[in-house]
Amino acid sequence: MSAESNIKTVESLYAAFVQGDIPGLLATLGEDIDWASETTSTVAPWYGVRHGKEAVSSYLQQLAETLEVKDFTPLLYAVADSDILTVVRFHAVNRATDRPITMDLHHQFTFHGDHITYFRGTEDTAQVEATFHPA
């Protein structure tokens, strides 16, 4: 697939995420997707490595149960072979504590054919952890 096509797929995934369209998001993924945000931290329930679409669905559910997303705006797309790298402006509020998070997320998507087969995301883990503690 072309870089332009891969970017359109990531844009589609992001649009589905913002709209809460989990089936639409999952449709962009390969069956054996390797998905993770912050692979070594356990600060947030959505952190860690997930394999398969069902596990990604669980990740999205945990994220939605914990955070109310206020802003999710892609700022940059970069292409490197079959990878798309992005920077996303992110603002959310922890539902339990009402504490805000504002940061840039960094995402790496790897494609095999027309599906995403690998995702890694990085976040400001200290800021995420702080939202779990009441002000």
Side-chain angles (χ1 to χ4, degrees):
M1 300 301 292
S2 71
E4 184 177 311
S5 175
N6 289 350
I7 288 173
K8 287 190 184 303
T9 299
V10 173
E11 289 174 336
S12 172
L13 178 143
Y14 284 161
F17 173 78
V18 168
Q19 296 166 3
D21 177 10
I22 303 309
L25 185 150
L26 295 176
T28 67
L29 308 179
E31 291 300 323
D32 58 346
I33 181 72
D34 179 345
W35 181 282
S37 285
E38 299 302 339
T39 60
T40 61
S41 178
T42 58
V43 166
W46 61 89
Y47 284 178
V49 179
R50 316 287 176 117
H51 293 99
K53 288 184 178 186
E54 186 174 320
V56 174
S57 182
S58 173
Y59 162 95
L60 294 167
Q61 180 180 355
Q62 290 171 327
L63 187 68
E65 288 172 353
T66 307
L67 300 178
E68 179 182 354
V69 177
K70 303 287 191 174
D71 184 22
F72 188 91
T73 305
L75 303 174
L76 173 72
Y77 292 85
V79 177
D81 296 322
S82 63
D83 291 335
I84 303 294
L85 310 172
T86 67
V87 177
V88 177
R89 182 176 53 231
F90 182 75
H91 175 70
V93 175
N94 187 306
R95 293 179 188 280
T97 64
D98 207 34
R99 303 256 341 243
I101 302 169
T102 301
M103 65 181 129
D104 287 344
L105 305 174
H106 301 91
H107 294 160
Q108 175 191 1
F109 299 92
T110 301
F111 283 78
H112 186 267
D114 60 349
H115 287 95
I116 298 164
T117 57
Y118 180 88
F119 165 81
R120 287 297 181 270
T122 60
E123 302 174 2
D124 180 343
T125 57
Q127 192 177 159
V128 171
E129 181 176 16
T131 72
F132 285 94
H133 306 289

